[in-house]
Amino acid sequence: MTNLERKLRAMFLHDNLKIFSGSSNPALAGAVCKYLGIPVGGANVDKFPDGEKVIRVEDDVRGRDCFVLQSTCKPVDEHLVELLIYLDCLRRASARRITAVIPYFGYARQDRKDEGRVPITAKLVANMIVTAGADRVLAIDLHAHQLQGFFDIPVDHLTGELVLSRYFRDKKIDNLTVISPDVGNIKTAAKYASHLGGDLAIVHKRRFSGSEVQASEIIGEVKGRNILMCDDIIATAGTVCSAASLVKDRGAAKIYVGATHGILAGAAMENLAEAPIDEIVVTDTIPLSGQAEKSGRVRVLSVSGMLGEAIKRIHRNESVSSLFNNV
Ligand code: R5P
């Protein structure tokens, strides 16, 4: 490609592709735009005195391919409503196509009726996003893969495994056993084990409440092994801390934890401070809280390159799944 062709291509991308940032994760949106070499879309977000949000998109979006990046992390409801307002705003401003980029999708954990008189919030929220105007969704590690089907529009589903696997592979951990800290995550743990060349083990976990869990048994060998525990979410950190204590008691050597979404809520930082974990790694789908940042206990890897590349490919109608050919 000649220099002139390259410049024309960049100008075309610049003019037709618009990325807007919700207030949940402006640093990630900025990093994605930097990767793509375009500015973050202009928008004015304000509030009425009662807290109601008012958003005005300042760039001309008529006929453009628009992306809104918003993690529905804490404060979950506020970020969710802001995303819905953005989508409505872009639709009414005649955007050609609108993609909701949701690095972390909150409300995903209530994805079925496993007892009477409970909602399925994952489906409710998916309906709200489609109704508000999204034509596509780009998400990372939805709590369960089948949530893709909750949206009646195309969903590109990325995984933090791409960046986490590379990080742990570069560490060249020997005698590695990859552990799934609960049965729900076995498939993911098996993938890590195959990419990193380790054995696989599973911890059986019992959950008593949102913040109380107990790791009760291990299937697989951990004695003398270096452990990588992988999960999609660390919320209160009860799951990984309880599993880490159990495998340490059973003679594990070093323990590493890798998770895509560092929610780190409730007593997470206190739990992690006391746990026998040598390194905790999450991605920047959710910004670290001040307490977590100050503790220096959590390493953050960026998904901005992966998201930027996926956005570029969606914009150009190129394959997104081939991004994962070389994990
Ligand atoms: C459970 O199904 C998830 O994969 C995580 O293990 C869970 O959400 C983590 O929650 P917490 O950190 O509060 O134990």
Side-chain angles (χ1 to χ4, degrees):
M1 199 189 294
T2 65
N3 272 350
L4 180 64
E5 281 170 333
R6 211 169 278 132
K7 265 192 192 152
L8 287 173
R9 201 166 179 168
M11 274 165 58
F12 183 77
L13 193 73
H14 194 286
D15 198 41
N16 284 284
L17 172 64
K18 297 277 175 195
I19 300 184
F20 296 91
S21 172
S23 53
S24 65
N25 203 337
L28 178 58
V32 168
C33 287
K34 191 167 174 204
Y35 176 89
L36 292 167
I38 61 172
V40 180
N44 189 25
V45 182
D46 208 348
K47 273 184 183 174
F48 283 119
D50 63 353
E52 201 176 285
K53 266 207 175 145
V54 195
I55 298 177
R56 183 170 190 279
V57 164
E58 287 174 339
D59 292 3
D60 180 10
V61 294
R62 185 176 294 271
R64 308 297 208 287
D65 191 11
C66 296
F67 293 75
V68 188
L69 189 148
Q70 179 81 312
S71 279
T72 48
C73 55
K74 200 174 148 193
V76 179
D77 296 346
E78 189 174 335
H79 286 149
L80 172 60
V81 172
E82 193 186 272
L83 171 63
L84 299 175
I85 298 173
Y86 254 113
L87 295 171
D88 184 72
C89 188
L90 291 168
R91 185 172 51 133
R92 292 176 195 281
S94 304
R96 178 172 56 80
R97 181 172 67 173
I98 306 166
T99 302
V101 181
I102 314 175
Y104 167 69
F105 177 66
Y107 279 120
R109 284 170 287 180
Q110 297 170 71
D111 60 359
R112 64 192 173 280
K113 259 187 97 167
D114 49 7
E115 56 179 323
R117 301 190 293 277
V118 293
I120 304 180
T121 56
K123 177 61 182 157
L124 170 68
V125 172
N127 284 347
M128 288 160 79
I129 288 169
V130 175
T131 304
D135 298 303
R136 310 182 62 91
V137 166
L138 172 60
I140 304 180
D141 283 332
L142 292 166
H143 184 53
H145 285 240
Q146 58 269 28
L147 294 195
Q148 293 168 54
F150 285 23
F151 296 89
D152 287 326
I153 51 175
V155 175
D156 286 299
H157 190 218
L158 309 180
T159 171
E161 198 192 323
L162 194 68
V163 288
L164 289 162
S165 263
R166 283 181 187 156
Y167 175 78
F168 286 111
R169 185 186 295 136
D170 288 348
K171 288 185 94 74
K172 299 190 175 27
I173 305 168
D174 57 0
N175 288 324
L176 176 69
T177 294
V178 178
I179 289 199
S180 174
D182 60 30
V183 285
N185 211 40
I186 296 173
K187 269 195 181 166
T188 306
K191 274 204 222 154
Y192 272 90
S194 113
H195 292 146
L196 300 175
D199 293 346
L200 179 66
I202 298 151
V203 167
H204 173 60
K205 161 181 107 174
R206 292 167 66 206
R207 184 174 280 288
F208 304 105
S209 70
S211 57
E212 269 178 287
V213 294
Q214 190 196 2
S216 46
E217 213 26 82
I218 306 168
I219 305 166
E221 192 48 65
V222 296
K223 192 159 189 235
R225 309 280 299 171
N226 292 313
I227 304 296
L228 169 61
M229 214 178 285
C230 50
D231 211 341
D232 60 332
I233 289 171
I234 303 179
T236 63
T239 300
V240 290
C241 291
S242 173
S245 301
L246 182 65
V247 296
K248 198 71 185 179
D249 286 351
R250 303 280 172 91
K254 287 212 163 199
I255 303 177
Y256 303 89
V257 170
T260 306
H261 309 298
I263 297 179
L264 304 175
M269 292 318 299
E270 288 79 4
N271 293 338
L272 289 172
E274 287 165 16
I277 299 173
D278 294 275
E279 189 175 3
I280 303 150
V281 187
V282 298
T283 76
D284 58 355
T285 57
I286 298 174
L288 272 196
S289 67
Q291 187 194 6
E293 210 169 329
K294 232 195 262 162
S295 75
R297 184 86 170 100
V298 184
R299 179 184 290 274
V300 180
L301 306 180
S302 185
V303 293
S304 57
M306 174 176 76
L307 268 183
E309 189 56 33
I311 288 173
K312 189 166 81 188
R313 290 177 186 212
I314 292 168
H315 179 64
R316 292 179 178 168
N317 291 323
E318 292 171 1
S319 164
V320 173
S321 57
S322 57
L323 250 178
F324 296 94
N325 288 347
N326 303 310
V327 174

